Amino acid sequence: MEPPRPGVRTRCANPLVWAKEWVRSSPGTHIWLLVIGVTSLVVASASEGLGEFLVHRTSSNIHELNEHPLPSLLISGFWIERPASFLLYVVMFELLHANVERWTGTTRWLLTVGGAHIAATLASQELVLLAIEGHRLPRSMTHVVDIGVSYGLAAAAGVLTYRLRPPWRYGYLAVVLVFFGIPLLTGASFTDFGHAIALTMGFAAWPLTPAAAAEAGETEEAEEAREPGEAGEAGEVPPDKAHGPETAGPGPRSPAEPGPRDGQER
């Protein structure tokens, strides 16, 4: 049997091996999912009072951001409010996070979705604070439940736009804009504003994608390819040197050619 050629991916017939390779190619996504599964199980098995306490204690609301800024920002991304929706998040993680992480690499993926989660959380809670100070929201909103992974998913959805090729990209982009845009335009909550911010940060992460690197490489190759042609055109013999060294300066005269006499100006 012919061994697989380097650089050519072979299709694995064993589903277990394929699943293992898939998980290994996106470790951050599946570690994140594992933690969410554990925290969801904790909330689901806890009493009603304890579950409510855990959800509020791990929220990144105004109260928790003032009391525990860094822990609340980080911990809130590993909990979901309704454990029954965990399977839906599994599907969304595999479709969005896993594909983005495989494409961009774990570091760039984490930088994008983590930064979007933090920025969207801070911006949305700032909107809540302004609304409370303007007496448009009750002061009890400082303890509002603000946990979940939806901001990171919105950022991944934005990055994934660049992974698809036209015309699929345009259809996907339309669906994403409608999905996040309709709630924003019809009685938006602070969460909807957070989703819009995270999605925008995902779109802005274009320079971190392999597509941007490939485009930059193609541009450099095109410039390098033009340089030899330009050098060849510029390397043509200039008119003042087209006739050889004779034009470089006065050479030796033939005996028949009269030279200047002594005392005359040259």
Side-chain angles (χ1 to χ4, degrees):
M1 183 173 62
E2 182 183 359
R5 290 174 294 174
V8 178
R9 292 186 178 181
T10 57
R11 183 174 298 178
C12 182
N14 191 334
L16 294 178
V17 175
W18 178 88
K20 182 179 178 180
E21 292 178 353
W22 175 266
V23 172
R24 290 179 61 183
S25 66
S26 51
T29 296
H30 294 92
I31 292 174
W32 195 356
L33 260 181
L34 178 62
V35 176
I36 294 173
V38 172
T39 57
S40 299
L41 185 61
V42 169
V43 173
S45 59
S47 62
E48 184 177 354
L50 179 58
E52 186 176 352
F53 169 78
L54 290 174
V55 168
H56 281 83
R57 183 64 179 80
T58 56
S59 291
S60 52
N61 51 39
I62 295 173
H63 173 76
E64 293 298 332
L65 285 173
N66 287 331
E67 296 293 329
H68 317 94
L70 288 179
S72 63
L73 279 173
L74 297 177
I75 295 174
S76 63
F78 294 96
W79 295 74
I80 56 178
E81 190 173 358
R82 292 183 294 274
S85 60
F86 174 70
L87 292 180
L88 174 61
Y89 282 108
V90 170
V91 174
M92 299 302 294
F93 266 59
E94 298 296 347
L95 291 176
L96 298 175
H97 282 310
N99 279 293
V100 172
E101 184 180 2
R102 282 166 56 89
W103 185 47
T104 63
T106 300
T107 301
R108 294 183 178 184
W109 161 79
L110 184 59
L111 179 64
T112 302
V113 299
H117 170 77
I118 293 174
T121 299
L122 294 177
S124 60
Q125 289 303 309
E126 181 66 22
L127 289 175
V128 173
L129 179 60
L130 293 175
I132 292 173
E133 293 177 348
H135 304 288
R136 294 187 299 274
L137 287 176
R139 189 159 293 275
S140 60
M141 287 292 290
T142 56
H143 296 272
V144 68
V145 174
D146 185 24
I147 60 173
V149 296
S150 58
Y151 293 156
L153 284 170
V159 178
L160 196 60
T161 305
Y162 305 117
R163 181 72 175 89
L164 303 175
R165 295 182 178 180
W168 302 105
R169 176 183 298 174
Y170 308 125
Y172 170 82
L173 179 60
V175 172
V176 168
L177 292 178
V178 168
F179 181 82
F180 289 104
I182 289 179
L184 188 65
L185 299 175
T186 57
S189 64
F190 72 92
T191 306
D192 297 324
F193 281 107
H195 289 155
I197 293 169
L199 180 65
T200 303
M201 292 189 66
F203 289 146
W206 157 258
L208 299 178
T209 64
E215 184 175 300
E218 291 176 359
T219 303
E220 292 178 359
E221 290 178 1
E223 291 178 354
E224 291 175 358
R226 284 197 301 267
E227 285 177 1
E230 293 173 357
E233 293 175 1
E236 294 180 359
V237 181
D240 58 345
K241 297 182 180 180
H243 300 289
E246 295 178 359
T247 58
R253 294 185 300 271
S254 62
E257 182 181 354
R261 297 179 181 179
D262 295 339
Q264 291 182 344
E265 294 182 359
R266 295 179 182 266

